[in-house]
Amino acid sequence: MKSVCPDVLLKLNKPFSHLLITGTLFITLSCGDKKDTFQQKGGGGPTIVDVIIAKSESVSDKVEVNGTIVANEYAELRPEVSGLLTFLDVPEGKTVQKGTIIAKINSADLMAQLNRSKIQLELAETTEKRMKQLVAVNGINQADYDVAVNQVNTLKADMAYTQALIDKTVVKAPFTGVIGLRKVSAGSYVSSNSVIATMQQLSNLRIDFTVPESYQKYVSKGSNVEVLLDQNSGKRETARIIALEPQVNQTTRNITVRATLNSGSTSPGSFAKVYLNASSNKSSILIPANSIIPEAQGKKAVTVQGGKAVFVTIETGDRREDVVEVTSGLSVGDTVVVSGVLFARPDAPVKVRSVKSLKVAK
């Protein structure tokens, strides 16, 4: 509603004057007060801010990734053939030596077949010897002798095949390690899908973890990384990288790394934190995260120059806890606003209340 002064009201026709009696007081007061009270409050003085002086800080970049502890050797003990379990010896939780018999499957039919082949082989070998003497004096032709030799060789091959099937009915420890819990009982019918037990070699535990491909240059075979096994104790162990997956995962863009623990003890399958140095100690400018103004096209920070607020475009690097690394846009010695950032306006006057340290400001 526009203000109308009293002299204008006098010029109004009398019939309409009674309609304006109610608003006369408001209009009269409006004509007497033409100042913007918001401007008085908001523009009464410079914005009060706290600042820090940008300086070079020593930074050691550490990348934290998740890892999983794996055994040096791991195997699921399964039978190669199906059949009735006639022998089972699973010392749960104990160390067994390589080659120890863990289980046997009924192989009576195969043994009978092997014995039959042995008898047939004896007869075939006797026949072959006789025919060899006859062919020497031209008593028989060479073709008949060749058939006898072939019969001997065929029976030997059959026996070797049967013996291989018999060997498959015996489950042995593939390496020296700790055997897990028994999954089946003696007398059960098992197949190649049945797991009798698991074995793990707990010496020289390994840890598998993935890192972004951008950090691939910081993980090399033979280098060491820090590993946190116990979240409660906070003690970090070391591990030596022994291998890297040669191909980057096309979905996650990560590369898988395997390392061997140099110290510490834990169980396979446990969760672990892995810390690797992304770079050696370097000097960078650090500012509190809450002093950065995000924008659609980038990020800005507020500096104080000549008593006025100057907005500068910055580029950031690594972020840790409450501080952010500034890679460009700020120089050592710049005065950076850390509180009152939201009230600062470009080229508007500001008043520095205090100069804080980075530790206090963050």
Side-chain angles (χ1 to χ4, degrees), residues 147-318:
V147 171
V149 173
N150 183 67
Q151 181 67 18
V152 172
N153 294 333
T154 300
L155 289 171
K156 288 181 178 180
D158 290 342
M159 290 178 62
Y161 176 72
T162 305
Q163 184 60 52
L165 293 179
I166 294 174
D167 293 340
K168 289 183 178 182
T169 63
V170 180
V171 180
K172 298 181 180 180
F175 51 82
T176 300
V178 178
I179 199 164
L181 302 181
R182 177 169 53 88
K183 305 295 184 182
V184 296
S185 300
S188 302
Y189 184 87
V190 295
S191 65
S192 58
N193 293 326
S194 303
V195 178
I196 298 175
T198 60
M199 280 193 66
Q200 300 185 70
Q201 195 174 81
L202 301 182
S203 60
N204 299 325
L205 289 176
R206 302 178 180 183
I207 179 170
D208 288 350
F209 59 95
T210 58
V211 296
E213 62 177 333
S214 58
Y215 292 105
Q216 183 176 356
K217 59 183 178 180
Y218 300 118
V219 287
S220 58
K221 185 176 180 180
S223 61
N224 290 330
V225 294
E226 293 182 344
V227 180
L228 179 61
L229 301 177
D230 187 354
Q231 304 291 330
N232 296 325
S233 67
K235 182 182 178 181
R236 296 186 182 183
E237 311 292 345
T238 60
R240 180 176 56 86
I241 297 176
I242 59 174
L244 289 81
E245 189 70 38
Q247 181 176 355
V248 176
N249 187 297
Q250 297 182 4
T251 303
T252 62
R253 296 301 175 186
N254 292 337
I255 184 171
T256 304
V257 184
R258 174 167 292 176
T260 301
L261 288 175
N262 298 328
S263 58
S265 61
T266 184
S267 300
S270 299
F271 172 81
K273 285 283 189 181
V274 181
Y275 304 88
L276 57 96
N277 286 323
S279 66
S280 57
N281 289 339
K282 61 179 181 179
S283 296
S284 302
I285 295 177
L286 301 178
I287 63 174
N290 57 8
S291 64
I292 298 177
I293 303 174
E295 294 185 344
Q297 302 298 326
K299 303 173 184 177
K300 287 188 176 181
V302 183
T303 61
V304 177
Q305 298 180 17
K308 295 184 178 181
V310 177
F311 285 63
V312 294
T313 301
I314 62 173
E315 292 183 4
T316 59
D318 294 332

Side-chain angles (χ1 to χ4, degrees), residues 53-74:
I53 305 301
K55 61 180 181 178
S56 182
E57 303 280 352
S58 180
V59 179
S60 178
D61 294 337
K62 286 188 179 294
V63 178
E64 176 183 316
V65 296
N66 298 331
T68 303
I69 302 298
V70 295
N72 185 36
E73 298 288 351
Y74 172 83

Side-chain angles (χ1 to χ4, degrees), residues 7 51 67 71 98 105 131 241-242 244 271-272 278 329 337 342 347 361:
D7 55 344
V51 299
K98 179 179 180 180
I105 296 174
M131 297 188 74
I241 297 176
I242 59 174
L244 289 81
F271 172 81
V337 177
L342 298 180
D347 297 327

